Amino acid sequence: MSGTHPTPSSHPDPARPRTPPPDLRLAGLAVAAWLTALTGLHVGVRPLLLVGGTAAVLSALSALHLLGRLGHPRAAARRHGWVAVAVGLGVLCGAAATAGRLAVRDAPPIRVLAEQRAPVSAELVVRDDPRPIRSAGRPGMLLVSSELIRLTGPDGQRIRTSARLLVLATDPGWRGLLPGQRVTAEGRLGVPRGGDLTAAVLGATGPPERHGAPSWAQRAAGTLRAGLQRACAPLPDAPGGLLPGLVVGDTSRLSPAVEEDFRATGMTHLNAVSGSNVAIVLGAVLLLARWARAGPWLAGLLCGVALVGFVILVRPSPSVVRAATMGAIGLVALAAGRPRAALPALAAAVTVLVLVDPELAGDAGFALSVLATGGLLLLAPRWRDGLRRRGVPAGLAEALAVPAAAQVACGPVVAGISGTVSLVAVPANLLAVPAIAPATVLGVTAAVLSPLWPAGAGFVAWLASWPAWWLVVIARQGARLPAGILPWPGGAWGALLLAGLTVALLVAARRPLVRRLVAVVAVAALLGALGVRLIATGWPPRGWVVVACAVGQGDALVLPVAPGRAVVVDAGPDPSAVDACLRRLGVREVPLLVVSHFHVDHVGGVAGVFRGRRVTAVLTPPSTDPASGRDAVRAAAMGGRATLLGTTAGALHRVGGVDLLVLGPPYPLAGTRSDPNNNSLMLRATVAGVRILLPGDAETEEQHAVLARTAAEQLRADVLKVAHHGSAYQDDSFLAAVRPAVALVPVGAGNTYGHPSPPLLARLSRGGARVLRTDTDGDLAAIRTGDGLAVARRGVRPGRPP
């Protein structure tokens, strides 16, 4: 009809070009294969084969139905039908691949030896770099992922297999192994935890016996990595230690303080090789190729050479190959001039990787790589275009959209793993974007130059240290922000809850009115949460004299000196945990840090005490065992410019209103069940007239020695920090002399040591003590009141006087 105006639906606004829908043709295949493999890792072979057979039948029936309706005019119905066929094929392929690997994992000969904890000799191939793990009382433990070739049992029986083996070792000989190296090791087999393809766990009893040299690729990687370390050696500690981690994932020189700052601000992914590293390197090569007017084929060839070289540089372990696959997808599609092909390429890569190695389906790093890449392909272009339509410059729009999309896509998995939602992760990563590419490209250049021109490599590394320094500044300042992390339900349900909320918000936010409403509600909720956490925490309770921090299987005690100042006794096993406890208490300065002894469950978190705080002095015990813990404390003290102090029995240390009397050890104890434990500093602290006994991990021998050398009135205390996490090795006469009204037990949930001992807890309760434990009650506080003593748990009102 003439004179009518076209409706918006018939003539879209030319200023707002329509974004083509994503190509999801292979998405169903990839997701189905992934979820089937993940399910199979937990349910076993038989249920998996049942699922796969059912999927095969349904997929065949759907395909036959569709083939009979090829001439049907409803194309949408046919598309949905083929999606159903793709899902069925994904389930079938995922079930078949996973079932085959599970049959090898659960082979009876290896399973029987593992259940018997039999001593064996194993010939194996190392799959990845040995990784240090925290283990209370066993510093220096390494975890080595390997592929078993041959196993010799205690009766001489030889088993040839290709099953996966996890090695736990403390011998330094395991530390220098490279992926692909063949070794023989002896030890005892154990049953794995399940949920992956590991057939058994080997507790190695000595060093490995190496067979031959590593491959040429690993030797080349070692030469380049060592050259990068030499080029970074003259740089300041923080950027000099970060740069190798940023470029090749080598965190050997990364200071604990910087590592914890990166973790608190959601920037830990920068310290590991990921798809973004690969994309940056290939992007730089692609730009150079286009600047030189190279054609698509030559550019693709150069990118392929650069990809192989980068994988060799960072070591071709499974995690690096995965990252290279993810990072190359987008750039290959871009170089081919078909950006829409990136999403099908991602789905195809996921399918192939999961079928080749079904264990990736349960790998959090794999999930984060896929989700981050998917976020960059699905969300970032739309958000970038939306920002540009609102007048944001192109470069700034890209810088804002890319990290925000990756963070939103990865948020559910991170929340499920950590049980927290970071409020500083997105802004911190936005600020970090301009520095990542220069630091990575310059770092790779320094590594390549190092064997040929060491002086030039040093100069390029110095240039790279400036963007690395900016990353350190962002992480340090972000970690100091109060209430930067909010609690969230952990585990699979927490991840699914956040994923559902994220999808709902993304769909709802497409409408302007809903978008504005969501923005207002989000800001209000954020400000409300911050207000509650900053103003109305109710912690620490008024009149507190000691707090036992919930830091897992370890000790961290806090004694107040003045508002914002406190004495800290031990630091627990984890820097993040002790730092979080001190933040909750508002501690900004530590005039004295006391180390009872050097086991990792007491000093592993020492960097967390120094994070963002001034530590004036560190008091150490006469015994220096184990050396690894002593070196960690000394390094933290030197880095924080704190004075190292020694002490002996009978010494009195006064810090403000806190008096610390050293009761033990009265002399060096040797030949005991654990000499480091039995040479722990034993202190009696007096705070506001309340006596607090802090015996470290003293066991029966030291308790008996102190009791024999100390007057009974000196041992009497109102509050007892129960020694050694409530172990059974306690002297009854010692406990009778202390006669505490409150007993605080720092202990980790689900520990394998049997701590705390039920008979010990019953003994303390019969003696009239109010017993509290950090694994069930969280942070614990003893409070001085007008009626005597009270106790409080974090978030729980103070209890009645004991």
Side-chain angles (χ1 to χ4, degrees):
M1 177 177 175
S2 62
T4 60
H5 296 282
T7 62
S9 59
S10 60
H11 293 281
D13 184 0
R16 184 174 180 175
R18 177 171 177 159
T19 303
D23 188 348
L24 300 176
R25 287 174 296 177
L26 296 180
L29 177 69
V31 173
W34 188 351
L35 295 180
T36 304
L38 178 61
T39 303
L41 292 175
H42 293 278
V43 302
V45 175
R46 290 185 179 179
L48 189 62
L49 291 177
L50 178 62
V51 171
T54 304
V57 173
L58 294 178
S59 180
L61 292 176
S62 299
L64 291 174
H65 178 71
L66 288 171
L67 289 174
R69 295 168 58 89
L70 285 179
H72 197 279
R74 296 186 62 183
R78 291 201 305 273
R79 283 199 300 269
H80 294 158
W82 287 118
V83 168
V85 173
V87 170
L89 288 175
V91 173
L92 175 61
C93 295
T98 308
R101 302 300 293 269
L102 290 178
V104 175
R105 182 195 72 177
D106 299 332
I110 299 179
R111 179 63 62 173
V112 170
L113 291 176
E115 291 174 349
Q116 295 175 349
R117 295 190 58 81
V120 299
S121 175
E123 187 176 342
L124 49 91
V125 176
V126 177
R127 298 181 65 240
D128 207 344
D129 290 301
R131 294 187 290 111
I133 58 174
R134 292 189 178 99
S135 177
R138 300 193 69 184
M141 178 171 283
L142 298 173
L143 185 148
V144 187
S145 177
S146 61
E147 193 81 18
L148 186 60
I149 299 175
R150 184 172 58 188
L151 191 70
T152 304
D155 57 355
Q157 178 188 5
R158 294 187 175 184
I159 303 170
R160 290 187 176 273
T161 182
S162 59
R164 293 187 179 175
L165 186 71
L166 201 62
V167 181
L168 298 177
T170 55
D171 193 281
W174 289 89
R175 191 172 299 275
L177 293 180
L178 298 176
Q181 188 149 25
R182 190 164 176 164
V183 300
T184 299
E186 295 184 354
R188 287 188 176 272
L189 281 188
V191 178
R193 64 179 183 179
D196 55 23
L197 294 178
T198 302
V201 177
L202 177 69
T205 56
E209 179 184 350
R210 307 189 185 197
H211 302 293
S215 65
W216 69 268
Q218 297 294 350
R219 292 197 301 271
T223 300
L224 294 177
R225 291 162 71 95
L228 179 60
Q229 284 284 9
R230 286 193 300 271
C232 295
L235 302 175
D237 290 340
L242 173 64
L243 193 58
L246 182 69
V247 176
V248 297
D250 183 0
T251 58
S252 58
R253 278 191 57 205
L254 186 64
S255 71
V258 174
E259 183 178 7
E260 291 306 312
D261 288 342
F262 270 64
R263 183 179 303 170
T265 50
M267 298 168 60
T268 306
H269 59 92
L270 298 179
N271 295 331
V273 178
S274 64
S276 61
N277 298 72
V278 180
I280 288 170
V281 173
L282 295 189
V285 174
L286 189 60
L287 286 175
L288 288 175
R290 289 186 173 178
W291 175 77
R293 301 183 182 277
W297 288 104
L298 180 57
L301 178 62
L302 292 175
C303 285
V305 173
L307 179 62
V308 173
F310 184 72
V311 169
I312 291 175
L313 171 63
V314 298
R315 293 181 179 169
S317 61
S319 60
V320 172
V321 173
R322 178 198 70 213
T325 303
M326 293 297 132
I329 288 170
L331 286 175
V332 168
L334 186 63
R338 299 181 60 190
R340 286 193 75 233
L343 200 59
L346 173 63
V350 169
T351 305
V352 172
L353 288 172
V354 168
L355 296 182
V356 170
D357 186 3
E359 189 174 87
L360 288 176
D363 189 315
F366 177 72
L368 291 174
S369 294
V370 174
L371 289 173
T373 307
L376 297 181
L377 296 176
L378 287 173
L379 300 177
R382 297 173 181 269
W383 292 358
R384 176 200 60 205
D385 295 342
L387 291 172
R388 293 185 64 181
R389 286 195 298 268
R390 289 165 176 79
V392 179
L396 180 59
E398 187 84 24
L400 291 173
V402 168
Q407 196 68 35
V408 167
C410 296
V413 174
V414 174
I417 295 172
S418 64
T420 60
V421 174
S422 176
L423 301 181
V424 300
V426 171
N429 281 277
L430 287 174
L431 292 173
V433 166
I436 297 172
T440 302
V441 173
L442 290 172
V444 171
T445 304
V448 174
L449 285 177
S450 60
L452 307 174
W453 187 20
F459 175 72
V460 175
W462 175 79
L463 292 177
S465 69
W466 289 100
W469 170 83
W470 173 242
L471 296 175
V472 171
V473 170
I474 294 170
R476 182 178 299 155
Q477 298 304 320
R480 293 180 180 180
L481 291 176
I485 297 176
L486 296 179
W488 188 266
W493 290 113
L496 291 174
L497 175 61
L498 186 57
L501 290 175
T502 302
V503 171
L505 289 175
L506 290 175
V507 172
R510 299 178 68 177
R511 299 180 177 272
L513 179 60
V514 176
R515 187 163 57 241
R516 296 189 188 98
L517 180 62
V518 168
V520 171
V521 172
V523 171
L526 178 60
L527 294 178
L530 288 175
V532 169
R533 289 174 65 87
L534 294 176
I535 300 173
T537 61
W539 191 263
R542 186 184 301 273
W544 67 286
V545 294
V546 62
V547 164
C549 297
V551 293
Q553 183 69 5
D555 276 15
L557 289 299
V558 187
L559 309 170
V561 176
R565 304 178 71 233
V567 172
V568 177
V569 181
D570 288 330
D574 181 21
S576 295
V578 68
D579 174 54
C581 180
L582 295 177
R583 287 176 185 271
R584 292 191 291 267
L585 296 171
V587 176
R588 299 182 300 274
E589 182 179 348
V590 179
L592 183 65
L593 168 62
V594 181
V595 175
S596 67
H597 64 297
F598 293 111
H599 273 160
V600 70
D601 55 333
H602 292 251
V603 301
V606 68
V609 179
F610 281 82
R611 183 197 293 166
R613 297 176 189 88
R614 179 187 175 192
V615 180
T616 306
V618 180
L619 186 68
T620 59
S623 173
T624 58
D625 290 335
S628 57
R630 175 202 62 196
D631 294 342
V633 171
R634 289 181 177 176
M638 291 178 61
R641 299 181 180 178
T643 304
L644 282 169
L645 304 175
T647 191
T648 57
L652 177 65
H653 301 270
R654 181 166 293 152
V655 183
V658 177
D659 289 343
L660 297 173
L661 175 65
V662 181
L663 301 177
Y667 51 84
L669 283 91
T672 67
R673 202 189 73 89
S674 173
D675 288 349
N677 286 346
N678 281 304
N679 284 282
S680 295
L681 279 184
M682 185 180 296
L683 307 172
R684 192 199 70 199
T686 305
V687 182
V690 178
R691 286 185 167 192
I692 306 156
L693 189 65
L694 306 171
D697 275 1
E699 297 182 350
T700 308
E701 294 90 341
E702 184 178 358
Q703 293 177 11
H704 182 75
V706 170
L707 183 62
R709 297 289 186 97
T710 307
E713 61 271 12
Q714 286 190 323
L715 281 176
R716 177 75 177 92
D718 305 295
V719 180
L720 170 66
K721 193 288 297 185
V722 179
H724 200 188
H725 323 298
S727 80
Y729 299 100
Q730 312 280 341
D731 187 283
D732 285 341
S733 300
F734 178 83
L735 296 176
V738 179
R739 299 197 318 274
V742 173
L744 307 178
V745 187
V747 63
N751 70 85
T752 59
Y753 305 98
H755 298 162
S757 166
L760 172 65
L761 301 185
R763 161 74 176 79
L764 291 168
S765 297
R766 287 196 305 269
R770 176 80 178 275
V771 181
L772 295 97
R773 40 196 284 189
T774 59
D775 60 339
T776 56
D777 300 319
D779 293 347
L780 308 174
I783 309 161
R784 185 186 182 193
T785 68
D787 298 328
L789 281 179
V791 293
R793 295 164 287 184
R794 185 174 172 236
V796 180
R797 297 174 62 183
R800 294 173 298 177

